[in-house]
Amino acid sequence: MSLLSVRDLTVTYDTQRGPVRAVDGLDLDVPAGSITGLVGESGCGKSTLGRALMGVLPDRGKIAAGEVIFEGQDLQTFSASARRALRWRRMAFIPQTAMNALDPVQRLSAQMAEILIERGGLSGREATARSSELFRLVGLDPARLAAYPHHFSGGMRQRASIALALALNPSLVIADEPVTALDVIVQRQVLDVLRELQARLQLSMILVTHDMAVVAYACDRVAVMYAGQIVEAGLAAEVLERPLHPYTMGLTHAFPDVHDSQMSLVPIEGSPPDLHTPPPGCRFAARCPFADARCNNEPPPSRPFGPDHLVACWHAEDATTLRGRAADPQTWAAIA
Amino acid sequence: MTALLQAEGLQKTFHSRGREVHAVQNVSLSVSPGEALGIVGESGCGKTTTARMLLRLEEPSAGRIMFDGADITNAHGRHLIAYRARAQLVFQNPFDALNPRFTIRRSLTEPLRNFAIPVSEHQDRIESVMRRVRLVPAESWLDRRPHELSGGQLQRVVLARALISGPSLIVADEPVSMLDVSVRAGILNVLRDARDSLGLAALYISHDLALIRYVCEQTIVMYLGRIVEQGPTAELISRPAHPYTRALVAAVPVARVEQNREGLPIRGSLSDAPPDPSGCLFRNRCPSVMPRCATEAPTLRTIAPGRMVACHLEGAM
Amino acid sequence: MLYWTRECPSVRSASRVLRFLRHEPFAVAGGAIYFVIVVVAVFADELAPYDPRAILKLGSRIARYQPISAQHWLGTNSSGRDVLSQVIWGTRSALEVGLTAAIAVVAIGTVLGLLSGYLGGWVDRVITWLADIVLGLPFLPFMLVLAALTHPGTGIVVFSVAALLWPNTARVIRAQVLSLRERAWVEAARVTGCSTTRIMFVHVLPQVLPLAALYGSVAIGWAILAEASASFLGFGDPTAISWGVMLQEAYANQALSRGAWNWFAPPGAAIMAMVLAGFLISRGSERLLFPKLADQ
Ligand SMILES: Nc1ncnc2c1ncn2[C@@H]1O[C@H](COP(=O)(O)OP(=O)(O)OP(=O)(O)O)[C@@H](O)[C@H]1O
Ligand SMILES: Nc1ncnc2c1ncn2[C@@H]1O[C@H](COP(=O)(O)OP(=O)(O)OP(=O)(O)O)[C@@H](O)[C@H]1O
Ligand code: SF4
Ligand SMILES: [Mg+2]
Ligand SMILES: [Mg+2]
């Protein structure tokens, strides 16, 4: 059974131009003990989804419909305080700007103690011991607990915020772009920390990123998000090797590969739809080289292909031929 | 072949709060006409400072810069303007690279005016450069202001502005790191295409070797302000000589599920205090450190035609 | 996905100005006062019931010391002139002095702030040093000495205000320019061949003008107060119709012992309103310019 299961989730923001559905009828399952990569381009709603799951949406955002089942319980039925009690203890969040989200004027030991004592009910002494343990866990020297965040490099701050998230042994950690602003070497080190902790503590993790290579390196599973919806989800090996959705196919050709000098990158032309007025059919249709009349008019439902692979595309049956065509830059250039 | 751009012994020392920061030390490089050279390295290793010195946006503390046979290290006034017309920069952050009050047309006209290109040519030049960066029809973009454009579109305008004076050299400092994945490929392709069809020389700066691989045939690896390795990109990636380059290559993730997930061949982090400069600056992180590394600073030596490395390891390959 | 913000700074500052108008009642009140004064000054001809210089007659006698009445809403003064009309016409000279001084302050402060912020180095040191000296000069004595040494009049007032008030403007402009010069598009201007002068005046200046205007609005109030003080002390232009001259006349004719508050209260209130307006706007502008500071 899934640790987390999201059904038909819709999150709206109130804006001057009216409500915008940043997450729109989204389904997602996160099995226990896995790292799920959530990929998609800027503005597709990754952070919104993460925040909605944690119950920490900004003021103008609200869950308009759907349910979030976590450890068998529907979180929508929880009171605000019950929800709060869950945070940190059962599920933890590493916000997108974690590096800057640490309190700059408090020592890390104090920030750690605040969570451990106030949220976790530990004694001062226990908190100190646990803080040191957590720092060691993420590969930081416990002697540096007395430091302020600005004494740390970007990678170290990211590790510290991971340590904070793990403070109360949550079973689910949602990490919003934990490596985006980091150098490759530091990125690799942080990903290794996450992978190792996941294996050691049997955590589940949602790792938000926009980099397919990060997914390939660190995740067991992947969910590809486009314009507020999951368009493809499944085992990372499966989705990356045999993508069924044209958008995923496009993404796999959009990254250069260090070991391949022959490849030519294929941009996905155009830009995502305005979420104030989403198109009636498939949201990707305007950028999709394979779109036909049905794509433009009817939204494709999410359908299973194989044991653990979901896709929302009318042409998923033809994926094998489409993959071949998607590798050709001319196919995508026609959209521009 | 004579080099288009050549730098010898570039050095930059910043003085901040009584401390000396040796941002760039003894960097020499050369770019031939039509060639693309990449500079990689971790954050803070001096890539941007090097590029800014080459473009005369930062005064070198020491060293010499030659462009097309002329010494431009101290060029000013008319000579500096002439150099600027031929050596252009693509900025990292497209959201900040255009004057927010100027329309696209005005931003593109600025260099034309400053480089004294006859007004009769302006319209043609603007249209052809907009075609090159694939913002067509030009008229539908020219009267907009930056806040009306997406990141990818802005970066295309920034590119257009760099190309409009007909330069021979383009320097691009992390040209796509702030852009969305789906538009990165488009920008890289425009850059590649401009180079091929206009015969531009290019200097790319990035901490992403995969990107450098895509656009550059030659690569320089920097560590703490110094060049530690240089050579043809493909060889440097397939057979890295310097232990730091090895770590850098190993750290780049690839979009395939089967890949190397072994621990990186590097210790510590960049923020650990660099060792005193009497020996190799990498020795506190190097997995192959030897006693000699602490006493003697390695200098760049040639290990194969066109390949140089600054490391004491004998069988560096 | 990344940490940049989509909004460009000018858009942001424009929307900030709007938000500020909505959320800063003080500043809006200050702006309203200025607005009323401008309207009164422009339509002084139509609004004033009498010629402010005319010596009014009551039958054959000069209409001195008239109390408040339907004919004279604020009475008449010791020389038989209508007080209300004088107050109304006084807005004109007040605005003339205020605006000229403010424009001078803004022009000097902006240019010096721009030079010192953008060029840095010795230019910055010299200008900062000058500003420190000027800030140390006491205003009134400076003006009075100047007036005593030369020919008294509004010219001296405007000059003193401009000479002593520019450092405030220069300082904020300098700070703003220091942050602007780090922006990539300023560097881009260099790369695309702009001369330093062109970068300063074509690229950077338009960005700081709104800020300069705000500081100018504060200078208006200051200049009017200065003019009133100078006139009151007899260093102004005695033939002008101004609030300062009205106060001076009231004082010379023992308005206080006569209980003729209608001679000094209206011009006094008008001066206070102007100074207050400048103060309110500057208080509000602090929040606009240093939002973080005000939020704490
Ligand atoms: N104006 C300056 N004053 C003081 N130190 C500076 C200045 N500019 C750069 N430095 C320092 O010089 C070193 C090199 O900086 P540089 O920006 O060239 O690195 P980089 O390789 O471009 O890094 P990144 O990948 O983060 O852009 C850093 O240690 C930096 O802190
Ligand atoms: N507080 C808010 N008020 C109104 N709209 C918002 C708010 N936050 C986000 N949005 C909108 O919701 C959509 C999804 O935003 P979100 O931040 O979740 O995207 P994302 O996938 O995390 O993007 P990125 O990769 O840039 O972090 C966007 O269109 C955004 O403009
Ligand atoms: S449903 Fe149609 S438009 Fe949408 S991705 Fe599939 S083929 Fe493309
Ligand atoms: Mg996000
Ligand atoms: Mg840099």
Side-chain angles (χ1 to χ4, degrees):
Chain A
M1 200 198 75
S2 296
L3 175 75
L4 175 79
S5 138
V6 179
R7 288 288 162 265
D8 204 24
L9 184 72
T10 299
V11 182
T12 57
Y13 288 110
D14 280 328
T15 69
Q16 281 161 358
R17 291 172 54 208
V20 56
R21 291 149 120 21
V23 171
D24 197 356
L26 176 142
D27 293 339
L28 179 68
D29 284 285
V30 179
S34 68
I35 301 188
T36 300
L38 184 64
V39 273
E41 66 203 272
S42 188
C44 74
K46 304 183 296 294
S47 299
T48 304
L49 174 60
R51 293 187 162 274
L53 297 180
M54 278 303 291
V56 290
L57 282 170
D59 288 343
R60 283 184 299 169
K62 67 164 194 294
I63 295 186
E67 51 190 27
V68 178
I69 316 276
F70 177 65
E71 293 180 329
Q73 293 168 298
D74 184 352
L75 297 189
Q76 292 306 101
T77 62
F78 277 39
S79 68
S81 64
R83 194 79 206 256
R84 240 163 48 92
L86 221 61
R87 246 173 263 153
W88 295 105
R89 281 199 232 143
R90 306 301 306 144
M91 55 200 317
F93 186 58
I94 306 176
Q96 183 159 4
T97 47
M99 280 169 53
N100 316 322
L102 295 168
D103 186 343
V105 297
Q106 266 196 33
R107 291 178 197 278
L108 286 159
S109 51
Q111 304 188 39
M112 208 67 120
E114 186 184 323
I115 291 171
L116 289 168
I117 297 172
E118 283 176 24
R119 293 305 189 95
L122 271 65
S123 71
R125 183 178 311 218
E126 287 166 343
T128 313
R130 175 79 177 139
S131 302
S132 303
E133 187 189 332
L134 285 164
F135 254 47
R136 265 192 298 272
L137 207 59
V138 296
L140 288 172
D141 182 356
R144 308 284 313 255
L145 268 167
Y148 289 95
H150 66 263
H151 293 148
F152 278 13
S153 70
M156 289 163 84
R157 263 178 274 176
Q158 202 57 268
R159 284 167 190 248
S161 57
I162 295 171
L164 273 179
L166 295 178
L168 301 178
N169 275 322
S171 48
L172 176 68
V173 173
I174 301 172
D176 195 356
E177 310 236 14
V179 293
T180 297
L182 303 177
D183 270 341
V184 273
I185 289 184
V186 189
Q187 159 174 308
R188 170 68 166 266
Q189 288 167 339
V190 170
L191 289 178
D192 284 344
V193 166
L194 288 174
R195 265 164 26 96
E196 194 202 313
L197 290 174
Q198 187 274 331
R200 176 125 57 106
L201 308 175
Q202 276 304 302
L203 291 172
S204 283
M205 202 176 292
I206 296 179
L207 197 156
V208 177
T209 176
H210 59 266
D211 190 339
M212 274 298 195
V214 166
V215 171
Y217 182 76
C219 303
D220 319 307
R221 307 179 57 81
V222 56
V224 181
M225 194 165 175
Y226 188 79
Q229 299 169 337
I230 303 289
V231 293
E232 181 165 8
L235 291 172
E238 183 68 20
V239 174
L240 290 172
E241 301 300 329
R242 281 174 291 280
L244 295 175
H245 197 282
Y247 180 60
T248 320
M249 295 174 198
L251 282 183
T252 57
H253 297 294
F255 292 88
D257 182 335
V258 242
H259 301 296
D260 181 359
S261 55
Q262 297 308 311
M263 82 179 299
S264 52
L265 294 188
V266 186
I268 303 173
E269 302 287 352
S271 50
D274 181 357
L275 293 175
H276 284 280
T277 50
C282 171
R283 300 200 162 181
F284 188 57
R287 300 168 81 185
C288 181
F290 314 122
D292 58 17
R294 179 168 56 163
C295 300
N296 281 306
N297 296 316
E298 290 172 55
S302 183
R303 296 178 291 161
F305 271 76
D308 197 359
H309 198 160
L310 287 168
V311 63
C313 168
W314 287 122
H315 294 294
E317 286 81 2
D318 310 326
T320 321
T321 31
L322 298 190
R323 272 199 291 275
R325 289 173 59 197
D328 179 3
Q330 287 310 315
T331 307
W332 297 84
I335 297 295
Chain B
M1 186 162 43
T2 55
L4 177 69
L5 177 76
Q6 188 160 15
E8 281 161 26
L10 276 190
Q11 201 117 347
K12 181 70 195 185
T13 307
F14 290 108
H15 300 269
S16 69
R17 284 185 246 117
R19 225 164 38 93
E20 286 195 341
V21 179
H22 300 285
V24 173
Q25 292 190 60
N26 197 20
V27 164
S28 303
L29 55 83
S30 87
V31 188
S32 308
E35 180 189 64
L37 172 69
I39 303 183
V40 277
E42 275 172 282
S43 181
C45 71
K47 307 182 292 291
T48 298
T49 309
T50 305
R52 288 172 47 85
M53 285 193 284
L54 293 174
L55 287 173
R56 290 292 316 278
L57 290 166
E58 192 87 72
E59 295 311 311
S61 311
R64 203 160 73 110
I65 305 164
M66 309 279 293
F67 185 79
D68 216 1
D71 188 331
I72 52 115
T73 324
N74 299 303
H76 61 267
R78 201 159 43 82
H79 298 288
L80 186 57
I81 300 270
Y83 174 53
R84 296 226 185 284
R86 298 195 53 199
Q88 279 292 313
L89 177 62
V90 175
F91 290 81
Q92 175 172 18
N93 183 354
F95 296 94
D96 197 41
L98 294 164
N99 189 327
R101 283 171 193 257
F102 282 15
T103 58
I104 305 308
R105 187 192 304 278
R106 179 124 193 245
S107 281
L108 292 178
T109 313
E110 256 325 83
L112 295 177
R113 176 198 170 277
N114 295 330
F115 298 136
I117 287 159
V119 177
S120 56
E121 285 181 34
H122 286 194
Q123 188 60 22
D124 282 352
R125 285 220 186 199
I126 289 176
E127 275 172 21
S128 91
V129 85
M130 289 293 274
R131 252 196 318 278
R132 186 162 290 288
V133 300
R134 314 218 176 98
L135 288 176
V136 279
E139 283 309 316
S140 68
W141 297 97
L142 289 173
D143 295 313
R144 302 199 197 183
R145 275 171 221 279
H147 67 94
E148 298 171 68
L149 270 60
S150 74
Q153 292 160 351
L154 286 173
Q155 196 64 313
R156 284 167 197 257
V157 174
V158 172
L159 253 160
R161 179 178 63 188
L163 294 173
I164 202 164
S165 58
S168 332
L169 171 74
I170 289 267
V171 177
D173 188 354
E174 304 270 14
V176 296
S177 70
M178 293 227 160
L179 296 177
D180 214 87
V181 266
S182 64
V183 302
R184 284 185 187 185
I187 299 289
L188 291 176
N189 287 344
V190 169
L191 274 166
R192 226 184 177 183
D193 171 69
R195 211 190 98 209
D196 293 347
S197 55
L198 303 174
L200 283 179
L203 187 70
Y204 289 95
I205 291 177
S206 176
H207 63 261
D208 183 357
L209 255 180
L211 187 152
I212 294 286
R213 169 84 189 241
Y214 188 64
V215 280
C216 304
E217 50 265 23
Q218 292 286 323
T219 296
I220 284 177
V221 182
M222 285 181 75
Y223 186 77
L224 287 181
R226 298 171 195 242
I227 296 180
V228 294
E229 181 164 3
Q230 74 183 68
T233 313
E235 276 182 49
L236 188 131
I237 287 171
S238 57
R239 279 171 296 138
H242 196 282
Y244 176 65
T245 314
R246 276 183 224 158
L248 211 53
V249 174
V252 184
V254 294
R256 282 189 304 269
V257 177
E258 303 88 49
Q259 59 180 295
N260 178 17
R261 290 192 178 77
E262 281 162 32
L264 287 182
I266 192 168
R267 303 178 287 154
S269 75
L270 199 59
S271 59
D272 299 341
D276 70 276
S278 57
C280 173
L281 287 180
F282 187 59
R283 68 180 188 274
N284 60 340
R285 299 181 69 191
C286 182
S288 328
V289 62
M290 310 172 284
R292 186 181 169 199
C293 304
T295 53
E296 196 185 325
T299 49
L300 268 184
R301 63 191 166 97
T302 305
I303 51 167
R307 290 204 62 185
M308 296 173 90
V309 63
C311 173
H312 292 312
L313 279 179
E314 262 319 315
M317 304 192 54
Chain C
M1 114 183 144
L2 296 155
Y3 310 146
W4 36 257
T5 128
R6 272 309 317 267
E7 294 166 292
C8 75
S10 70
V11 170
R12 198 169 59 215
S13 61
S15 72
R16 253 206 251 160
V17 170
L18 283 179
R19 210 165 353 121
F20 149 77
L21 288 179
R22 239 183 295 133
H23 295 299
E24 292 298 331
F26 282 157
V28 174
I33 295 175
Y34 275 154
F35 179 75
V36 169
I37 303 250
V38 169
V39 168
V40 170
V42 170
F43 297 105
D45 290 301
E46 285 79 25
L47 290 173
Y50 301 93
D51 177 351
R53 291 174 202 275
I55 295 174
L56 303 174
K57 295 279 173 58
L58 199 67
S60 59
R61 288 188 308 120
I62 294 176
R64 300 174 202 275
Y65 313 135
Q66 289 298 310
I68 289 176
S69 66
Q71 283 85 35
H72 304 285
W73 289 6
L74 291 175
T76 60
N77 68 6
S78 56
S79 51
R81 296 183 170 105
D82 181 56
V83 175
L84 176 64
S85 303
Q86 287 203 321
V87 171
I88 289 174
W89 277 86
T91 54
R92 273 205 183 167
S93 69
L95 266 190
E96 269 162 28
V97 173
L99 279 178
T100 347
I103 288 169
V105 165
V106 167
I108 300 173
T110 306
V111 170
L112 291 184
L114 195 57
L115 291 175
S116 112
Y118 190 80
L119 298 176
W122 66 268
V123 177
D124 185 30
R125 281 196 295 278
V126 168
I127 293 174
T128 312
W129 173 77
L130 259 180
D132 284 341
I133 292 184
V134 167
L135 279 177
L137 294 177
F139 184 77
L140 220 48
F142 176 85
M143 183 170 69
L144 297 187
V145 168
L146 212 62
L149 291 179
T150 59
H151 174 73
T154 45
I156 290 295
V157 173
V158 170
F159 177 83
S160 307
V161 171
L164 293 193
L165 241 52
W166 65 264
N168 298 320
T169 312
R171 279 190 173 180
V172 284
I173 297 295
R174 174 177 176 274
Q176 181 89 347
V177 170
L178 278 179
S179 85
L180 281 173
R181 60 171 289 174
E182 299 301 321
R183 302 292 298 274
W185 53 263
V186 173
E187 185 133 284
R190 276 172 81 191
V191 179
T192 50
C194 289
S195 65
T196 306
T197 325
R198 186 170 174 86
I199 296 177
M200 283 195 294
F201 291 95
V202 176
H203 289 264
V204 178
L205 178 65
Q207 303 280 333
V208 298
L209 276 183
L211 193 67
L214 217 50
Y215 269 73
S217 71
V218 177
I220 296 179
W222 260 96
I224 288 165
L225 187 64
E227 190 270 347
S229 320
S231 304
F232 183 74
L233 296 172
F235 292 97
D237 176 359
T239 61
I241 299 172
S242 81
W243 299 334
V245 172
M246 290 174 73
L247 285 179
Q248 205 270 335
E249 279 180 13
Y251 174 75
N253 291 292
Q254 284 108 33
L256 267 181
S257 55
R258 285 172 187 273
W261 61 268
N262 58 323
W263 291 358
F264 59 82
I271 292 166
M272 273 180 46
M274 289 294 266
V275 176
L276 186 69
F279 172 75
L280 290 175
I281 289 180
S282 77
R283 270 309 292 273
S285 70
E286 260 166 37
R287 271 179 87 124
L288 173 73
L289 303 173
F290 315 106
K292 292 219 183 75
L293 198 96
D295 286 346
Q296 278 162 10

